[in-house]
Amino acid sequence: QVQLVESGGGLVQTGGSLSLSCVASGSGFSINSMGWYRQAPGKQRELVAVITSGGSTNYRDSVNGRFTISRENAKNTVYLQMNSLKPEDTAVYYCNAKVVVLSNVSGYNYWGQGTQVTVSS
């Protein structure tokens, strides 16, 4: 079993910055990609940014240049630095990890509990 625990988030004014972090805990697994998704009220969950174990990154267009995803593989931790925040960034942000369980070499998708990010105008 893998658990993802997020921290960070909160309330910030337009143009401000926030940082999120997510730690994966458990045993007997290897993490492939880690990423951040968000879901605003009444909308579908959407990908924000993803980073592979090799460090390749991908961002949704609306956050490219403002958000930075990074990762510490040794700590099973992923970060999201969010700068120049806009009201439209307001959402619950979820950490995601695509994991291989070593005992059966099967892939699984895990989610954190979510953390609220609110950007006031």
Side-chain angles (χ1 to χ4, degrees):
Q1 184 74 8
V2 177
Q3 289 187 325
L4 302 180
V5 178
E6 301 148 348
S7 59
L11 173 65
V12 67
Q13 291 185 334
T14 296
S17 297
L18 284 173
S19 180
L20 306 180
S21 62
C22 172
V23 180
S25 62
S27 62
F29 65 93
S30 175
I31 301 177
N32 288 335
S33 65
M34 297 188 80
W36 293 93
Y37 289 70
R38 67 187 181 188
Q39 188 167 17
K43 295 187 177 181
Q44 290 188 330
R45 191 172 297 189
E46 61 186 21
L47 174 67
V48 177
V50 63
I51 185 167
T52 67
S53 57
S56 297
T57 59
N58 192 33
Y59 297 90
R60 71 178 302 104
D61 288 346
S62 61
V63 308
N64 203 11
R66 299 188 297 121
F67 291 10
T68 301
I69 189 170
S70 60
R71 178 173 174 174
E72 288 189 79
N73 289 336
K75 296 182 178 180
N76 289 333
T77 301
V78 64
Y79 306 95
L80 186 68
Q81 178 64 40
M82 303 182 291
N83 299 327
S84 302
L85 283 160
K86 304 176 181 180
E88 51 263 44
D89 295 318
T90 295
V92 178
Y93 283 68
Y94 295 91
C95 176
N96 171 266
K98 291 179 171 49
V99 167
V100 173
V101 172
L102 301 178
S103 61
N104 58 13
V105 200
S106 294
Y108 297 87
N109 205 23
Y110 288 94
W111 295 92
Q113 78 283 3
T115 185
Q116 177 70 45
V117 171
T118 303
V119 185
S120 63
S121 57

